Amino acid sequence: MREISTEVIREALLDCVRRACFILMPDVRQKLEESLRTETGETGKSILRQLIKNAEIAAAESRPLCQDTGVAVVFLEIGQEIHLTGGSLEETVQAAVREAYKKFYLRKSLVDHPLNRKNTGDNTPAMIHTRIVPGDRMKIGFVAKGGGCENMSRIGMLTPSVGCRGVVDFVVQTVRDAGGNPCPPVVVGVGLGGNFEKAALLAKEALLRPLGRPAELPADRELERTLLKEVNDTGVGPMGLGGRTTALAVHVKSFPCHIAALPVAVNLDCHSHRHVETVL
Amino acid sequence: MSSSPQIITPPMDETSARGLKAGDEVLIQGVIYAARDAAHKRMIAALDEGRPLPVDIRGAIIYYVGPTPGAPGQVVGSAGPTTSVRMDAYAPRLIELGLRGMIGKGERSPEVVAAMKQSGAVYFAATGGAGALLAKCIVRAEVAAYEDLGPEALRLMEVKDFPAIVATDANGQSLYQRHQRFRNDFFPDC
């Protein structure tokens, strides 16, 4: 049995929020620079240069990369041999998000009820996903998820007969319809299989994987290659103004599903792609 | 696309708005207003109830943005454009009342473009997600109305060399449409 104090979790989360919102992750920065070399459109190149410059300003002047500092999405993988001390885990996460968004001057972007729409004033509640896993380690994943790209995400309960082509068409059409709204070049998270809610969660989990690291399953890796090519062939381009660079990466995460089902969820993330992981 | 950016100084008149073409790069100088979903909803509610708008929008440019608060010493923290389509339900009414420019990201509805053509207004695209870079162009920001809306309050902003591109002009020409045609040429089956 290993003990972890919720105070340690609070501090780790504060650091995750700060890093995600102010520092463009190295994997994303590298993909933007690669894209600048392959992009052929002048408008597209100009936008990619602005994004790299933006990251430099954000780091140098402690300004958030983007004004939409998002919904705080927190993934907790808790080893089953861990004993948490110091109070409620869920309250700790909410308190850490509340503290971070105030302390770092981040935007408070949540409303109390989807129809009442009164700002909660502290960016809570965070969306928390908890899994109990073997071992005595705890992994914290943090995503600051902006509204523009989340709004353009989709889920489809396809019929199995449409097969791979149907899945590819659904994903590509989602990106095409999204146009400039989700702040392309995007990262495309695809949840394939499971059921209705599992597919959506798989899509979001797929976004946490570092850019450049391929999927575990060969079938998923092949689908990623096909999707990346076809998504970039749409010509949507940076900010939807045309070009080769529509996506920096496509990440597929699959799971077994019902004999009648072919669920596919597409969770788009903007080019700031604020994802951070830390292990306690 | 023009070789060097044109300088835009609000308030704009109809002639100068109609003179801009899709693809023109611009630098905006002077006072603009920042408003997004909730502030637009309140402005339209005010008009519905026969009350005046809290600011004079004739000739004005509205920037669709909800900035992060500035850290000590900063006017605002980060301030890039939000998705414009959410303001499409409200924009035609404001354009009819003399709004000349909007700054945002993403394509507009046919209803907004029709109002722009009718009254002579322009839609500028700024780079979404370049919030730190664009915030440096904002030299003054103060709440003009609806302070209780927090990040969604209506703000007056003074900008200097704010970079944008004419995405849709007052003739209804749009970079997005041009680009849509490009896509259809290459992917006729989609």
Side-chain angles (χ1 to χ4, degrees):
Chain A
M1 183 77 77
R2 178 184 171 213
E3 287 201 346
I4 296 182
S5 158
T6 50
E7 176 57 22
V8 174
I9 296 167
R10 184 190 72 91
E11 283 178 11
L13 257 170
L14 285 180
D15 191 51
C16 284
V17 176
R18 184 191 59 77
R19 281 158 57 207
C21 291
F22 290 90
I23 301 164
L24 189 68
M25 291 296 116
D27 56 341
V28 186
R29 166 98 191 211
Q30 191 187 329
K31 284 282 174 194
L32 283 176
E33 284 172 355
E34 282 172 26
S35 301
L36 187 55
R37 288 194 286 275
T38 53
E39 179 57 58
T40 50
E42 281 310 312
T43 304
K45 278 190 204 171
S46 164
I47 289 168
L48 292 169
R49 274 193 289 269
Q50 279 190 31
L51 298 181
I52 292 167
K53 178 85 180 157
N54 185 67
E56 286 164 1
I57 293 170
E61 300 187 12
S62 287
R63 290 179 188 270
L65 286 161
C66 176
Q67 77 292 336
D68 186 355
T69 46
V71 171
V73 187
V74 180
F75 291 90
L76 302 171
E77 280 185 17
I78 305 163
Q80 64 194 35
E81 289 162 42
I82 293 172
H83 175 222
L84 296 172
T85 62
S88 154
L89 174 64
E90 177 137 353
E91 263 315 300
T92 300
V93 172
Q94 301 296 0
V97 167
R98 195 175 291 127
E99 183 181 352
Y101 275 70
K102 184 167 190 283
K103 182 177 176 181
F104 302 131
Y105 299 91
L106 305 177
R107 198 177 76 183
K108 288 73 181 174
S109 308
L110 270 85
V111 291
D112 64 339
H113 183 277
L115 298 177
N116 283 344
R117 305 201 75 81
K118 186 181 181 315
N119 198 300
T120 62
D122 60 11
N123 216 55
T124 65
M127 312 293 156
I128 306 173
H129 304 286
T130 308
R131 268 182 74 203
I132 305 297
V133 297
D136 66 353
R137 309 297 291 261
M138 179 169 177
K139 186 152 91 177
I140 300 175
F142 174 76
V143 175
K145 194 66 173 64
C149 49
E150 194 77 352
N151 275 349
M152 305 317 292
S153 301
R154 268 190 196 162
I155 188 159
M157 303 303 284
L158 308 185
T159 194
S161 67
V162 300
C164 182
R165 191 64 242 167
V167 169
V168 171
D169 285 348
F170 183 81
V171 176
V172 172
Q173 194 60 43
T174 299
V175 175
R176 191 192 299 274
D177 290 348
N181 294 356
C183 283
V186 290
V187 177
V188 184
V190 179
L192 183 61
N195 59 2
F196 185 76
E197 82 279 6
K198 178 78 176 176
L201 192 55
L202 287 168
K204 186 140 277 149
E205 286 169 357
L207 292 174
L208 276 167
R209 195 199 318 152
L211 303 185
R213 185 193 294 174
E216 285 173 26
L217 298 176
D220 293 352
R221 286 203 288 274
E222 192 177 330
L223 184 58
E224 287 180 355
R225 279 194 294 272
T226 305
L227 282 170
L228 183 61
K229 182 181 181 304
E230 295 212 16
V231 161
N232 282 330
D233 280 348
T234 59
V236 168
M239 290 317 297
L241 296 175
R244 289 289 314 158
T245 319
T246 302
L248 299 175
V250 178
H251 286 181
V252 174
K253 196 166 183 189
S254 66
F255 198 80
C257 64
H258 192 279
I259 48 174
L262 178 47
V264 54
V266 184
N267 196 199
L268 299 179
D269 202 13
C270 65
H271 53 68
S272 287
H273 191 45
R274 295 160 297 191
H275 66 112
V276 173
E277 279 191 336
T278 191
V279 177
L280 301 178
Chain B
M1 198 176 294
S2 61
S3 52
S4 66
Q6 298 185 46
I7 307 296
I8 302 292
T9 314
M12 291 171 79
D13 60 19
E14 186 177 342
T15 310
S16 57
R18 290 198 184 275
L20 290 166
K21 298 287 167 251
D24 286 352
E25 289 182 11
V26 301
L27 292 173
I28 300 165
Q29 316 277 12
V31 170
I32 62 174
Y33 295 104
R36 43 174 292 151
D37 313 48
H40 273 81
K41 190 176 179 188
R42 284 208 189 164
M43 283 194 280
I44 298 302
L47 292 174
D48 284 344
E49 292 162 16
R51 289 183 284 117
L53 294 177
V55 296
D56 187 357
I57 60 159
R58 287 169 299 176
I61 295 175
I62 291 182
Y63 182 17
Y64 299 146
V65 61
T68 63
Q74 293 175 346
V75 173
V76 290
S78 188
T82 193
T83 311
S84 305
V85 71
R86 296 194 317 274
M87 269 54 75
D88 283 358
Y90 311 114
R93 187 108 177 248
L94 301 180
I95 294 167
E96 283 162 23
L97 292 173
L99 180 71
R100 288 275 172 240
M102 298 152 284
I103 311 170
K105 67 171 165 98
E107 201 167 0
R108 307 309 301 266
S109 69
E111 291 77 15
V112 174
V113 178
M116 289 165 59
K117 287 166 74 172
Q118 173 74 29
S119 304
V122 187
Y123 172 52
F124 302 100
T127 299
L133 183 142
L134 293 169
K136 283 173 73 78
C137 305
I138 299 168
V139 295
R140 181 164 65 107
E142 57 198 51
V143 173
Y146 314 143
E147 185 158 20
D148 62 299
L149 295 179
E152 294 204 76
L154 178 64
R155 287 178 169 79
L156 179 153
M157 286 181 171
E158 189 179 336
V159 295
K160 191 168 182 297
D161 293 336
F162 185 97
I165 184 166
V166 177
T168 307
D169 64 29
N171 290 318
Q173 290 298 308
S174 165
L175 294 183
Y176 301 105
Q177 284 172 17
R178 218 176 273 171
H179 158 52
Q180 187 71 43
R181 280 198 295 273
F182 166 81
R183 285 188 303 201
N184 291 344
D185 287 346
F186 282 86
F187 305 98
D189 57 323
C190 292

